[in-house]
Amino acid sequence: MVDLHMHSTFSDGKHSPEEMIEEGIRRGLTRIGISDHSYVEMDDSSMPAGSAPAYQREMKRLKEKYAGRIAVCCGLERDYWSETDAGYDYVIGSVHWIRMEDGHRLAVDWTPDRLKDGCRKYFGGDWYALAEAFYRLEADVVRKTECDLIGHFDLVTKFNERAGWFDPGHPRYRAAWQAAADALLRTGKPFEINTGAISRGYRTDAYPSREIRDYLRERGARLILSSDAHQKENICFAFSRFEAETEALKP
């Protein structure tokens, strides 16, 4: 079993990389990847500026320490608005922010109130326009981040299950995500089935939605399970619910 998306105290996680690895061993993982958030200016959840070398050194130490017990990978969740840098075993490409014309960045996953206020201020309360702006960035995430894995494709829906701001079946919403999915499918990069919002109580389904997962599978996409764990208790969270969706795509 493999889990390649999780965060440690180097960014916004609760536990150290070593604590996450120890828990991964306890849960029977054969491979584990720590993928802390790349630095983004004014984002407290990201790694601080200049901290990447220390993170890479610690991951190298842990690779050597745990060799023979578990394969340890040094990953990075690179945001669309981050600079590219080297030294990682793999990169998860994600969109967390929409940049406005006035330079403001609207976080789609920070808090419901901030997102609602941002939608009112920048999109005139038009949730479909906000989603369209998000998916235009998402369509470009592989090129921009040079990623190996596409992260939480429909993150813009994080709060919508509870809030009911827009209808995921609306033609405008469907057209937006399908255009992005089609663009990313052409890259051949795998998408993650991300259970992080379930473990944190925001959603009852993984990212992306079942409708999107079906669309991707029908078109030959590879889907990889990930927990997006921010604490060790959530490693491999709810994997058993989604294993059947990835089984046929394993090499």
Side-chain angles (χ1 to χ4, degrees):
M1 189 161 54
V2 175
D3 193 349
L4 295 177
H5 189 164
M6 61 187 71
H7 302 282
S8 76
T9 48
F10 274 92
S11 60
D12 61 344
K14 181 179 178 181
H15 295 105
S16 69
E18 188 156 12
E19 289 173 310
M20 299 295 275
I21 292 166
E22 289 282 358
E23 181 65 16
I25 292 171
R26 192 185 74 79
R27 290 174 183 257
L29 287 179
T30 57
R31 183 178 299 273
I32 190 169
I34 310 297
S35 54
D36 275 303
H37 290 284
S38 60
Y39 170 70
V40 178
E41 186 180 3
M42 298 178 65
D43 179 6
D44 292 339
S45 66
S46 67
M47 285 195 286
S51 63
Y55 169 63
Q56 292 173 347
R57 285 194 299 272
E58 175 63 0
M59 293 305 299
K60 182 176 184 295
R61 181 186 75 82
L62 295 171
K63 280 185 188 185
E64 296 170 353
K65 177 175 179 178
Y66 289 94
R69 298 178 64 191
I70 188 171
V72 174
C73 301
C74 177
L76 181 75
E77 184 175 11
R78 180 176 289 146
D79 185 79
Y80 186 91
W81 301 108
S82 296
E83 299 297 325
T84 57
D85 55 348
Y88 302 97
D89 296 320
Y90 65 97
V91 170
I92 301 170
S94 297
V95 177
H96 299 92
W97 307 81
I98 304 171
R99 182 170 286 177
M100 302 295 107
E101 290 184 1
D102 65 1
H104 177 79
R105 284 198 306 269
L106 175 62
V108 301
D109 66 334
W110 196 252
T111 69
D113 287 343
R114 288 189 184 184
L115 185 57
K116 184 177 180 180
D117 290 345
C119 183
R120 184 185 304 112
K121 179 178 180 180
Y122 292 105
F123 297 95
D126 184 345
W127 286 99
Y128 300 107
L130 187 154
E132 287 161 354
F134 171 82
Y135 283 115
R136 282 193 293 271
L137 298 175
E138 190 67 44
D140 190 44
V141 74
V142 170
R143 182 200 65 81
K144 183 64 167 59
T145 66
E146 301 178 358
C147 65
D148 305 290
L149 175 63
I150 299 163
H152 37 57
F153 173 77
D154 60 349
L155 183 66
V156 70
T157 64
K158 178 175 179 176
F159 306 118
N160 192 60
E161 184 174 323
R162 288 185 176 183
W165 291 320
F166 61 89
D167 176 10
H170 191 283
R172 283 180 64 191
Y173 180 73
R174 278 203 175 114
W177 71 250
Q178 286 178 1
D182 291 345
L184 294 175
L185 283 163
R186 289 192 288 271
T187 71
K189 300 295 184 181
F191 294 72
E192 63 174 3
I193 298 180
N194 180 314
T195 63
I198 306 176
S199 65
R200 293 190 286 279
Y202 294 110
R203 290 167 56 118
T204 57
D205 193 11
Y207 300 116
S209 69
R210 180 59 182 269
E211 180 182 7
I212 296 174
R213 297 197 304 272
D214 288 346
Y215 184 93
L216 295 172
R217 278 200 314 277
E218 289 166 3
R219 288 155 180 79
R222 185 180 181 202
L223 305 180
I224 297 174
L225 273 170
S226 66
S227 67
D228 200 350
H230 286 64
Q231 59 190 57
K232 64 183 183 180
E233 292 82 2
N234 290 339
I235 293 173
C236 303
F237 190 90
F239 272 22
S240 61
R241 283 179 52 186
F242 302 98
E243 284 175 347
E245 296 187 44
T246 64
E247 186 65 34
L249 298 167
K250 291 177 181 177

